[in-house]
Amino acid sequence: MSQGIVINSLSFARETGSLQGDLPIASLTRIQDKLVDSAGCLSYRVVGGVGSRNRPQLMLQLDGVLSVCCQRCLEGIDYPLEVRSLLEFVDDEDDLTQEEIEDDSRDFLPAQGEIDIVALIEDEIILNLPSAPRHESCALPETVQGTGKISPFSMLKDVRVKAE
Ligand SMILES: [Zn+2]
């Protein structure tokens, strides 16, 4: 389980609360299977506010570098994470106008009292990570063009050596 940071979203928004700090990447349990390395920290900032129709809002800011797994060579890729999200809580999704649904500057969530900021941060990271990250060019022999003499078996051997 992640260590939670629980706030009451309604009073936090009304009182324009703010929270910031650093979270060890290793503590974000729900994203570990997408990472090659969980060293380091992410910095976060959450600011409360009230939106246009008196709805509670949270502005969420995340910065850090995540080591995601290249889908071709399985080595790490440093992925700079930079999230700026505006989350607005609605009592009833049917209240949303078409214009609001199409508004990309905000995301709508069902209204809830207590929310766990760490869970929210994990959700945002999962939404923002590339689904199939790849190096622009991997350091595998197969990317060497022109020789045409590399057998698939020698490539496999190289992968094994790398993995050890
Ligand atoms: Zn790669």
Side-chain angles (χ1 to χ4, degrees):
M1 265 307 276
S2 305
Q3 56 175 110
I5 302 173
V6 176
I7 60 167
N8 181 300
S9 59
L10 301 177
S11 55
F12 189 85
R14 226 178 5 246
E15 292 156 17
T16 58
S18 78
L19 260 183
Q20 58 187 317
D22 291 320
L23 277 178
I25 292 168
S27 74
L28 302 169
T29 50
R30 279 163 56 217
I31 62 166
Q32 294 308 310
D33 61 339
K34 303 180 192 308
L35 304 181
V36 174
D37 185 354
S38 56
C41 284
L42 282 184
S43 66
Y44 70 92
R45 185 168 144 84
V46 186
V47 179
V50 177
S52 53
R53 293 170 68 188
N54 232 5
R55 296 189 188 124
Q57 286 184 333
L58 292 180
M59 194 273 291
L60 182 66
Q61 199 173 312
L62 298 174
D63 289 282
V65 178
L66 295 175
S67 184
V68 296
C69 182
C70 172
Q71 300 301 294
R72 202 181 302 143
C73 71
L74 306 181
E75 298 278 326
I77 308 175
D78 284 346
Y79 180 76
L81 185 76
E82 190 186 311
V83 173
R84 303 285 179 271
S85 290
L86 184 61
L87 308 171
E88 192 164 294
F89 295 95
V90 290
D91 289 322
D92 186 348
E93 274 185 57
D94 295 338
D95 282 353
L96 291 174
T97 63
Q98 192 60 31
E99 198 183 334
E100 285 173 330
I101 292 167
E102 287 167 7
D103 180 359
D104 287 338
S105 67
R106 306 178 268 180
D107 292 314
F108 296 95
L109 294 176
Q112 46 204 309
E114 309 266 285
I115 57 170
D116 181 355
I117 294 295
V118 175
L120 205 61
I121 287 172
E122 287 175 335
D123 287 342
E124 287 296 311
I125 294 172
I126 291 166
L127 286 174
N128 279 277
L129 281 182
S131 55
R134 283 169 190 218
H135 290 112
E136 274 179 35
S137 64
C138 294
L140 279 184
E142 66 172 328
T143 61
V144 177
Q145 299 293 320
T147 65
K149 297 280 183 200
I150 299 169
S151 85
F153 298 102
S154 71
M155 252 168 62
L156 276 178
K157 199 177 74 194
D158 283 349
V159 172
R160 264 206 304 275
V161 169
K162 270 188 165 201
E164 271 162 14

